Amino acid sequence: MKRRHFVGGLAATASLAACAKQDANCGAAGTSGGAPIEWTAVTSWPPKYPGLGVAVNNLAERIKAASNGRLLIKVYAAGELVPAFEVFDSVSRGTVECGHGASYYHKGKVDAAQFFTAIPFGLNAAEMNGWLYYGGGLELWRELYEPFNLVPFPCGNTGVQMGGWFNKEINSVADLKGLKMRIPGLGGEVLRRAGGTPVTLPGSEIFTSLKTGAIDATEWVGPYNDLSFGLQKAARFYYYPGWQEPGPTLEFIVNQAAWNSLSNDLQAIVDVCCQAINLDVNAEYTHGNASALQQLKDNPEVELREFPAEVLDYLQSISAQVVNELVAEDPAAAKIFASFDAFREISTPNQRISEQAFLETRER
Ligand code: CA
């Protein structure tokens, strides 16, 4: 018996020594010799919803493949484990390890977070990526979330959205008065000051609310997602452009302790896969919106309209007031806005002579 123990002990010692040469964590969870790490992700989106919802499913698949099955993420859609707007708190508390949603849903909890999804008349998708990855935006985002034990990653961008679905025409500023509209974030505050009543509803409740007249209008995303909810069956007028969300970034958030428990290579895999999904979601929308818009234009029940210049000018002036007040009240928002706005200032002239000039030329 003693000898067998001794031999076993030797084998174990040899195996540990071989392990130590390759990896300090050899045999631990998430290493090639250990059990996989299993995480739970909660989201703000309906299950397997195109674009927004499948983003985190695709992220989980890529992380699984890239890590050779060492990090497995099980995804729960909105309401399956926690409600749509409790993703932030659940991941912050460590009830679950990670989540996918949009930072502007945390308005009222951490107001400055809204800059990292979108602000009215803010940055488009390409500009958001430029600011986040190269302009210091992501560092500011990480700093803002640190007290909440959260590590954020940009993880999807819908591109410029639509102004939304209205059951009445918007011909002038006066038509915004009394308008009850689903519109989250700072865009909602802008509508409130224009005399409307903003409502924040998760995606799953929009169609019924619009169809029954509980709300008069809604913004959601754009043709691809709006068609999948059937919003064209609940309102007639489809307005553009989406002044309120010019290039909204989605977020993947990881609990700090869960993040710290990952080896360096698994952290790199999560980081790179989030960047891949950030691109993938935008590509899905660019493609999906084109064909969905075609279908909506062919539908005689839908009237595609551009907001009158007077209305957009008015909304833009209120947007500046709303942002300025947020910045005046909240030092974190002031710091983030200074960075955001400095980039917007220099990016606008560049966009004008590049993307904007090119698109106008292509249509000539
Ligand atoms: Ca939206």
Side-chain angles (χ1 to χ4, degrees), residues 284-300:
E284 184 182 352
Y285 278 100
T286 302
H287 186 264
N289 280 334
S291 51
L293 178 64
Q294 191 63 50
Q295 283 185 60
L296 290 169
K297 286 175 85 169
D298 290 345
N299 183 338

Side-chain angles (χ1 to χ4, degrees), residues 155-278:
C155 194
N157 194 307
T158 68
V160 62
Q161 299 202 348
M162 286 292 285
W165 295 90
F166 294 73
N167 58 24
K168 65 172 201 170
E169 291 178 74
I170 304 296
N171 293 319
S172 71
V173 164
D175 293 324
L176 300 171
K177 299 238 183 310
L179 191 76
K180 192 169 181 189
M181 179 171 180
R182 182 271 179 194
I183 174 169
L186 291 173
E189 180 58 21
V190 172
L191 178 74
R192 193 182 67 74
R193 293 185 193 204
T197 305
V199 182
T200 299
L201 293 173
S204 57
E205 294 173 27
I206 293 176
F207 177 82
T208 307
S209 302
L210 189 60
K211 183 82 179 165
T212 59
I215 53 175
D216 306 312
T218 186
E219 71 83 55
W220 174 226
V221 182
Y224 180 52
N225 278 159
D226 295 0
L227 190 71
S228 69
F229 268 164
L231 297 180
Q232 72 282 3
K233 294 175 202 153
R236 180 171 189 87
F237 302 102
Y238 196 24
Y239 276 92
Y240 67 92
W243 57 274
Q244 77 287 1
E245 295 189 48
T249 299
L250 309 177
E251 67 177 10
F252 182 65
I253 49 176
V254 179
N255 176 273
Q256 183 74 59
W259 177 251
N260 293 347
S261 76
L262 295 183
S263 57
N264 289 345
D265 66 329
L266 286 179
Q267 287 186 346
I269 285 168
V270 171
D271 187 38
V272 169
C273 290
C274 282
Q275 208 163 16
I277 296 300
N278 197 31

